[in-house]
Amino acid sequence: MRRAAIGSVLTAFVLCTISFNVGAQDASEKEIERYRAMISDPMSNPGFLAVDRGEILWSEKRGSKNASLEGCDLGLGAGKLEGAFAKLPRFFADADKVMDLEQRLLWCMQNVQGLDTKDVIARRFSGPGRASDMEDLVAFIANKSNGMKIDVQLGHPKEAEMAAVGEALFFRRGGVMDFACATCHAEEGKRIRLQGLPELSKAGKQAQETMGSWPTYRVSQGALRTMQHRLWDCYRQQRWPVPEYASDSLTALTVFLNKQALGGEINVPSIKR
């Protein structure tokens, strides 16, 4: 009887603890969402400073050809930005490959502007006292697709191939932790500390809301971040060898994730923790 009573007390304690933790997490998430809502206006969101800087970079003449990026074709014709981001990554015949936005911008810098992109790649992610042309350009271009639906192109054989490769990468386990993207993002209700993790293995709302909100201003980092940075950081945290910037593997993974998010509304730059 005594053991049974102790067992009942322990069970009650565990259940109360679980209930308290879930309640605390829910309360914290509500406060985080309230904070995001407070600074989501363009006049309050620091990510829009990157949009403004990117607009200047887009029209600035640089490189050996003294040309601006206004001659860059992002899929809808040279210089046409409205809706271009919504359809990326996509196949580009002039490069004979599927490219995401950052890959395409590097190609245009090299081929349209004649720019040595070594420094641009070295500053691919901003840090204290170190601006990033790529983050600013992505913010500006992506913002031109605000309110539009994710419409990644899958009709070309190479686009379909990249989607299949991206799916395989999503479920591929490896690294010293034997992790995959699916370890964190293929099951409902998973968290890291207070951060809810979206379920991305299924097409639908969670994938749409996730992919439609990048690039984003990361409050914890005090910087705007692109999907390239998000994927790079995910692999770093999984203890995989970090992927090369603008690699085909990251483009393939992005194609797959945008396929899962088809029809989702784009609203960028968003704000995340």
Side-chain angles (χ1 to χ4, degrees):
M1 290 292 291
R2 191 173 180 181
R3 288 182 179 178
I6 292 172
S8 297
V9 170
L10 288 173
T11 300
F13 174 77
V14 170
L15 290 174
C16 287
T17 301
I18 292 171
S19 178
F20 173 79
N21 286 338
V22 171
Q25 288 172 340
D26 290 342
S28 296
E29 280 199 352
K30 287 179 181 178
E31 286 302 307
I32 291 169
E33 287 304 317
R34 189 170 72 88
Y35 171 73
R36 286 175 180 163
M38 288 169 59
I39 58 175
S40 61
D41 185 271
M43 297 300 292
S44 305
N45 182 347
F48 280 88
L49 296 174
V51 174
D52 293 341
R53 292 191 299 266
E55 183 174 11
I56 294 170
L57 284 169
W58 178 256
S59 59
E60 182 180 344
K61 293 182 178 180
R62 298 195 294 178
S64 62
K65 299 181 180 181
N66 191 33
S68 74
L69 285 169
E70 292 165 321
C72 179
D73 182 1
L74 297 178
L76 301 179
K80 294 183 179 180
L81 300 181
E82 284 74 13
F85 179 73
K87 295 181 178 294
L88 291 170
R90 66 184 300 163
F91 175 76
F92 290 91
D94 53 10
D96 193 31
K97 67 184 298 183
V98 177
M99 295 174 161
D100 75 345
L101 178 54
E102 287 165 84
Q103 277 185 313
R104 186 61 179 175
L105 284 172
L106 287 174
W107 188 92
C108 285
M109 287 175 182
Q110 294 161 2
N111 293 276
V112 175
Q113 294 183 299
L115 184 69
D116 182 351
T117 56
K118 183 179 178 180
D119 177 62
V120 175
I121 293 172
R123 295 183 295 109
R124 61 198 180 278
F125 307 138
S126 60
R130 186 180 74 250
S132 168
D133 290 357
M134 294 303 290
E135 288 177 348
D136 293 344
L137 282 165
V138 170
F140 167 62
I141 295 164
N143 182 249
K144 291 293 186 180
S145 288
N146 260 9
M148 300 181 187
K149 305 295 185 183
I150 295 172
D151 187 26
V152 63
Q153 304 298 284
L154 300 167
H156 192 279
K158 290 192 176 182
E159 292 166 346
E161 179 184 32
M162 287 295 262
V165 170
E167 183 174 9
L169 286 171
F170 182 84
F171 290 100
R172 171 82 178 190
R173 300 175 71 101
V176 297
M177 306 292 288
D178 193 33
F179 272 20
C181 301
T183 305
C184 292
H185 295 289
E187 191 175 325
E188 294 278 353
K190 285 197 169 184
R191 295 175 182 265
I192 292 180
R193 297 179 293 278
L194 293 177
Q195 182 69 24
L197 299 171
E199 213 281 49
L200 302 176
S201 66
K202 297 177 182 177
K205 183 179 179 181
Q206 291 191 46
Q208 290 172 341
E209 290 178 347
T210 298
M211 298 306 291
S213 62
W214 288 86
T216 189
Y217 180 78
R218 297 294 302 269
V219 176
S220 60
Q221 299 176 20
L224 182 129
R225 297 306 190 195
T226 67
M227 180 53 63
Q228 281 273 344
H229 184 276
R230 176 65 278 174
L231 296 177
W232 170 85
D233 201 36
C234 280
Y235 276 111
R236 180 190 66 82
Q237 292 180 69
Q238 292 179 72
R239 305 299 187 266
W240 278 63
V242 292
E244 183 179 340
Y245 180 67
S247 66
D248 290 339
S249 60
L250 292 189
T251 296
L253 191 51
T254 304
V255 173
F256 168 68
L257 293 174
N258 274 353
K259 178 183 177 183
Q260 301 296 82
L262 276 171
E265 184 173 320
I266 297 168
N267 184 18
V268 296
S270 66
I271 290 181
K272 297 183 185 291
R273 64 172 180 82

